[in-house]
């Protein structure tokens, strides 16, 4: 590993002491969300189900990984649902590709399905 690799934030902390951001989406049309920063998360032992219990159930989807590309949609990444929505509650977070500085969106699945029908509709 080069010294440049060691300076990347996703490698700055071990996977048993990671910081992840949960983007709690309140409303898709108004583009409102709150960030919940979770520190000292053990990605090797905590599961998707553990994370859902912390943030009160429903749907989790990876928004972006550290140093990864960001979507043009500022509220949620509407691409690759089959890969990025975390369905398996028993899966360990590290197995799902979650690493330090990952952003995960939390939302109600039915609201997201409605939003995907017309993702360009915005209300102010």
């Amino acid at each position: 590993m080069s010294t440049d690799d060691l300076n990347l934030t996703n490698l700055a902390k071990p996977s048993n002491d990671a910081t992840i951001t949960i983007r709690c989406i309140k409303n898709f049309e108004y583009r409102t969300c709150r960030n919940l920063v979770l520190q000292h998360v053990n990605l090797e032992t905590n599961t998707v189900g553990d994370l859902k219990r912390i943030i009160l159930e429903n749907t989790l989807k990876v928004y972006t990984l550290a140093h990864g590309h960001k979507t043009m949609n500022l509220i949620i990444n509407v691409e690759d649902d089959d890969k990025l929505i975390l369905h398996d509650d028993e899966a360990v977070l590290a197995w799902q590709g979650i690493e330090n500085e990952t952003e995960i969106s939390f939302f109600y699945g039915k609201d997201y399905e409605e939003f995907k029908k017309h993702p360009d509709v915005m209300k102010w």
Side-chain angles (χ1 to χ4, degrees):
M1 218 183 296
S2 71
T3 53
D4 287 339
D5 289 341
L6 294 175
N7 293 328
L8 297 175
T9 57
N10 59 323
L11 302 175
K13 296 177 85 176
S15 60
N16 64 358
D17 186 33
T19 299
I20 59 175
T21 302
I22 305 295
R23 304 174 74 254
C24 302
I25 299 173
K26 297 166 76 175
N27 187 294
F28 287 101
E29 292 174 329
Y30 287 98
R31 310 294 198 261
T32 56
C33 74
R34 295 267 189 213
N35 290 335
L36 170 65
V37 178
L38 301 177
Q39 297 179 340
H40 311 294
V41 177
N42 188 335
L43 303 175
E44 297 170 5
T45 59
N46 284 313
T47 65
V48 172
D50 294 336
L51 198 55
K52 285 182 179 181
R53 280 188 284 286
I54 291 170
I55 58 169
L56 305 174
E57 72 173 275
N58 226 303
T59 307
L60 295 171
K61 181 177 181 181
V62 174
Y63 180 66
T64 185
L65 298 174
H67 310 290
H69 79 283
K70 296 212 181 219
T71 178
M72 294 298 290
N73 189 319
L74 298 178
I75 195 68
I76 194 165
N77 180 354
V78 294
E79 302 163 2
D80 297 326
D81 285 349
D82 54 328
K83 289 189 259 177
L84 299 178
I85 290 181
L86 305 175
H87 294 287
D88 184 1
D89 286 355
E90 300 301 316
V92 173
L93 295 173
W95 299 346
Q96 300 297 303
I98 308 301
E99 55 190 22
N100 189 49
E101 299 291 328
T102 296
E103 291 184 30
I104 301 171
S105 297
F106 160 71
F107 51 89
Y108 291 105
K110 66 178 186 154
D111 292 349
Y112 175 61
E113 292 303 321
E114 282 299 312
F115 172 75
K116 282 189 355 181
K117 292 176 185 175
H118 306 285
D120 296 331
V121 173
M122 274 201 285
K123 294 183 178 177
W124 297 97

